[in-house]
Amino acid sequence: MRHIVHRHTPDAAWITKANQLLAQLGAAPDAATRNAIIDDNSAVWGDIKQWLLSLSHHKCWFSEAKDCFNHWDVEHYRPKKSARDADGTAHEGYWWLAFDWRNLRICGNAGNRKKGTYFPLRAGCPRCAAHGDLRHEDPQLLDPVDPDDPALISFNLEGRAIPAPHVTERWEKSRVDYSVERYNLDFPPLMDKRKVVWANCWEQIQRYLTELCRYHTDCTNGIARESSKQALRALREMICDDKELSAVARACVLSSGDDRVIRILQTT
């Protein structure tokens, strides 16, 4: 998972249409009427799919996969018609966010299908009513749009999604564990791809350190110097945010524990 930045807004015509539908939802007399409006206009989210994909270099916002997490869905972070706690208890959905582009995410359907309408909050946390202040909520599911959430999740050489090393607080750890389960982030084909990325990244790390040692032992060894630079360039490319599973490569770099390697995270 990488932080997704809303660098710009959707097309003005789409926003106008979405606002018109929001006004219809606000004027609807009951939940059944609101749900009918939402169902009848489900194609509206498809109209914004390419814009959403452009924000993530055409990767799933949750898994960072391009093709092994199945077809792309436009996912509502806060569910639109019904929101369920972890135990399945249902609450009214966030219908007033149904056509709000800031509540939309791109998710491969292997994850979106499992997430469904689940949206649990921290115990004792109030759930917002229509148009309430969402800052009062403390969601259990990680959100790639929140700049702090992606840093909570990391990966290991087995391809598993795990809490980042610095995550020791119980609630933060439970958020990661629940998100891995509910977003299906340990989907087997996805884990297999992560293992390949990790292995390739680790190979480049070892190549860089070996060639750097050769060059430092013999400062006239220009071949070793250039080879170390090539390995470093390969690592920088793997951790760029436009690369598939770049967060896995970043986790691998951090796992090296070597400051000479880790420094590339500060320059890429």
Side-chain angles (χ1 to χ4, degrees):
M1 186 181 292
R2 296 291 295 264
H3 176 216
I4 303 296
V5 180
H6 287 136
R7 297 184 294 273
H8 43 82
T9 59
D11 179 76
W14 188 93
I15 293 178
T16 298
K17 185 174 184 179
N19 287 338
Q20 290 170 348
L21 290 170
L22 177 59
Q24 291 180 35
L25 288 173
D30 51 42
T33 305
R34 287 195 295 268
N35 289 345
I37 294 170
I38 290 171
D39 290 340
D40 291 344
N41 292 278
S42 59
V44 171
W45 305 307
D47 293 339
I48 203 177
K49 184 182 292 186
Q50 290 304 312
W51 177 79
L52 293 166
L53 279 166
S54 73
L55 299 179
S56 63
H57 305 283
H58 287 255
K59 297 186 291 185
C60 168
W61 291 20
F62 301 89
S63 69
E64 255 207 310
K66 288 188 175 181
D67 59 12
C68 71
F69 212 48
N70 263 318
H71 305 294
W72 304 129
D73 289 337
V74 176
E75 201 276 316
H76 289 74
Y77 176 64
R78 284 179 166 83
K80 53 192 178 294
K81 293 194 291 185
S82 174
R84 287 194 283 173
D85 292 330
D87 64 3
T89 302
H91 305 270
E92 182 180 53
Y94 298 81
W95 56 264
W96 65 98
L97 299 177
F99 299 101
D100 187 333
W101 59 270
R102 290 162 296 192
N103 187 46
L104 302 179
R105 315 284 184 261
I106 285 289
C107 186
N109 63 18
N112 194 27
R113 295 297 184 268
K114 190 168 183 181
K115 187 230 179 189
T117 61
Y118 282 93
F119 194 73
L121 304 178
R122 190 170 190 169
C125 180
R127 191 175 290 274
C128 283
H131 302 290
D133 189 339
L134 297 175
R135 291 176 298 178
H136 292 303
E137 293 191 342
D138 196 353
Q140 190 163 12
L141 284 168
L142 299 179
D143 182 5
V145 172
D146 187 321
D148 298 320
D149 280 4
L152 300 178
I153 194 167
S154 187
F155 307 90
N156 62 22
L157 57 83
E158 296 176 343
R160 293 192 176 278
I162 59 174
H166 70 275
V167 176
T168 57
E169 198 270 331
R170 182 179 299 178
W171 170 243
E172 288 187 340
K173 185 176 184 302
S174 75
R175 294 189 69 211
V176 174
D177 292 341
Y178 186 75
S179 296
V180 171
E181 174 194 353
R182 189 50 61 193
Y183 290 138
N184 203 13
L185 293 182
D186 279 346
F187 184 58
L190 185 56
M191 289 177 60
D192 289 342
K193 267 203 165 185
R194 288 190 193 127
K195 284 188 280 190
V196 172
V197 170
W198 187 286
N200 291 342
C201 187
W202 191 255
E203 180 181 353
Q204 293 299 333
I205 290 171
Q206 298 311 308
R207 177 188 172 200
Y208 168 65
L209 293 175
T210 298
E211 296 301 324
L212 188 65
C213 181
R214 287 179 58 206
Y215 171 57
H216 287 167
T217 300
D218 177 8
C219 63
T220 66
N221 190 339
I223 293 176
R225 182 187 68 243
E226 182 56 30
S227 184
S228 71
K229 288 180 177 292
Q230 288 176 354
L232 209 57
R233 284 195 292 270
L235 287 171
R236 286 198 174 101
E237 184 175 350
M238 293 177 74
I239 65 175
C240 283
D241 64 359
D242 63 337
K243 295 299 180 182
E244 186 175 29
L245 304 179
S246 63
V248 176
R250 293 177 70 88
C252 183
V253 166
L254 282 170
S255 77
S256 72
D258 192 305
D259 289 341
R260 295 170 296 178
V261 179
I262 294 172
R263 68 186 173 88
I264 71 171
L265 299 179
Q266 301 171 339
T267 59
T268 304

